[in-house]
Amino acid sequence: MPALHLNGPKLLEQIHTLGQIGADPANGGRTRIALTDAEKAGRDQLVAWMHELELQVQVDRIGNIFGTLRVPGDAAPLMMGSHIDSVTNAGALDGCYGVLAGLAVQRAYREAGVLPARSICVAAFTNEEGVRYQPDMMGSLVHAGGLDVQQALDTLGTDGTRLGDELRRIGYAGELEPGAIVPHEYLELHIEQGPILEAESLQIGVVENLQGISWQQVTVKGNANHAGTTPTRLRHDAGYVASTVVSELRRFAKTSGTTLATVGCMHFEPNVINVIPRRASFTVDLRDPSEHKLQQAEAHLAQLLRQLAEEEGVSVDTEQLVRFEPVQFDAALADQIQACADRRGLSYRRMTSGAGHDAQMIARIAPAAMIFVPSRGGISHNPREHTDDGQLLEGAQVLLEVVARRLDKHR
Amino acid sequence: MPALHLNGPKLLEQIHTLGQIGADPANGGRTRIALTDAEKAGRDQLVAWMHELELQVQVDRIGNIFGTLRVPGDAAPLMMGSHIDSVTNAGALDGCYGVLAGLAVQRAYREAGVLPARSICVAAFTNEEGVRYQPDMMGSLVHAGGLDVQQALDTLGTDGTRLGDELRRIGYAGELEPGAIVPHEYLELHIEQGPILEAESLQIGVVENLQGISWQQVTVKGNANHAGTTPTRLRHDAGYVASTVVSELRRFAKTSGTTLATVGCMHFEPNVINVIPRRASFTVDLRDPSEHKLQQAEAHLAQLLRQLAEEEGVSVDTEQLVRFEPVQFDAALADQIQACADRRGLSYRRMTSGAGHDAQMIARIAPAAMIFVPSRGGISHNPREHTDDGQLLEGAQVLLEVVARRLDKHR
């Protein structure tokens, strides 16, 4: 194994500098929504840094940026990556941390004057957040062949713009065919965006899988009647049915152990204090690392809705908004991450990613795994998103060591 | 007992004519909100009909209109009444039916050439609905001494107007001191505005009491966190707590038998599909004919909120919006109503009024009771409010017979 040194101050400085682009002093955080002027500025900065490292910079037709530390031979590269687009008033770490830590790994090779056994590629995937253009994780999905590039380019945004036009406008409509760079392996370092590592005082999350997600929109239709004159037995209360689903899903999630169930949106109509709700619409977010258990949760919800609709005399409609099967990451890669954390004396746990990440798309075409570092208070997508500098550097050290071991082994 | 004949066609014609005033062809129904131009037109029509019957018309300082069939002697009058103001896009019956049926009773005496044993007064109370000026049932409340007239006149409306100014503008700021006319007894005929009579195929409701009402606004504050990354045990889900209250209140209402519990308004924040709600605000409408049981329901809600707040690690605030104790109507009057329904071969039941009515205010100063007729589908405050003409006439017949018996007895 070569002696490789992580330039921690440089990594932190780049995270800070990139985090200033799109800063919103009024509302906090930064807003670099995909293919806006602010995100173009972020891309320009990233590309400038890639050129500083004398990487080969390539941009594909969907705007994914690849910076490759090229070594002789035509072996597939080891790829690290994530994204640099953000939500509105975001933290500085979500996505950017993984991309810039990738550069830090490349920098370590460069500064040590060591050539890795394979090319090392750092990818910044287009539109991971999906704020302006749906679906999210779009760039990595196109890269993995899950979405036709032309269809992606024709996507209309919430502001009516066409994605392809905006990509051209900001100068990132590249010529590389998506998926041309098939990685040998893929690693993504990311903040947890959840509270588990912090709650358990752990330093590293060894991410071995990613939950399946089922999003449904449920609409309950009952009858609006007077709150004072309608006996309980004659009610067709849409709000009661919706609320009971929320309460029952919690009970189901507690019993299940692994299933997460969240009702984030709720809307009553007519929403008047003394009128029984005639309509209640709400969303259900179900997640589980096991496809079988996710299906069980969906079946439970369906059964619950049927039963409540019959008991209360209301009608229920459901619409599937999103459905992703769980993703299993590469066990050997996860083992390597765990071994590196262990060797560095860091506390860790194997865990499931609750959020979606580019890694889940790349896992379709290459062995992939993720490394998590703690998020304070589990907070992300928020100006208060925070991970201590020391924790960020520990995560990057683990990434560097995993890369070194993978490339050493393959030498 | 004198032979008194109800002029049914005239009553129905007047209901129809008054119902045309303020009609909204675009959205259906009619809108005669208190002290608007449309309501002034309704008042002018009512007063014109009172003059046709040669009643003594008096208007008090809060705008209550009294039309009295005066007989010699200074005995307190028997009073019938209700209101002619409406909600937005209302039915034609709520309130108007009781006022116009009162005129029909006076007309029956007039047409029969019979002098009753006491004066008969018909009252149309100001601002029963409380759409523009709070509180509702204002005119009868002032009449009963429960609200100072000057304070009522100084009320500011939702449109910023001062009630007293609007009353003067439409020409109904009278000189009579509120409460000057203390009734000997008070009867109010009204549509049920609920589904009970229809559901039980009954023709007459003998209203013996009126539920107490407790309205509360509840705000739950938890933490917003990512739906995919926050384990169930680490959640502080304001939406879950709010929903569980809705579900539990239904269980409580079912067990109680008499308590009604309704959550009409519900609001989640930030109301995003994959974010655990940090805030949920909702209203609770509790009603019971027994003050003791109403207090039990309030105590149960408070206990439920305390327990859920502790279990989920959220904070809960409650604000009392409205609190009325139950009203017990006069048992002798109710017995008389029942006896008259029975004699006429009508099906009936003793029942509780779920909605608030002017009668509950007048009950503070005189023996009072109410007569209900069925509302189709329990619907009111809606253009679809409907009672069959035959049912309306049966109710008016019962009112006429009750008045005749009360005045016969007291002759």
Side-chain angles (χ1 to χ4, degrees), chain A residues 193 228-229 235 250 262 312 354, chain B residues 193 228-229 235 250 262 354:
Chain A
Q193 302 184 280
T229 61
R235 295 183 175 214
R250 165 61 70 91
T262 307
E312 186 73 3
Chain B
Q193 302 184 280
T229 61
R235 294 182 176 214
R250 165 61 71 90
T262 307

Side-chain angles (χ1 to χ4, degrees), chain A residues 134-188:
Chain A
Q134 286 286 328
D136 55 359
M137 299 175 275
M138 184 189 276
S140 49
L141 181 61
V142 170
H143 184 80
L147 174 65
D148 178 70
V149 62
Q150 196 54 52
Q151 191 182 332
L153 293 171
D154 286 337
T155 305
L156 293 182
T158 52
D159 54 358
T161 55
R162 181 179 164 277
L163 188 145
D165 297 340
E166 283 292 279
L167 196 56
R168 188 160 305 280
R169 184 184 70 78
I170 66 164
Y172 281 87
E175 297 188 348
L176 187 70
E177 206 54 41
I181 306 173
V182 177
H184 178 70
E185 293 176 324
Y186 178 83
L187 288 164
E188 185 165 349

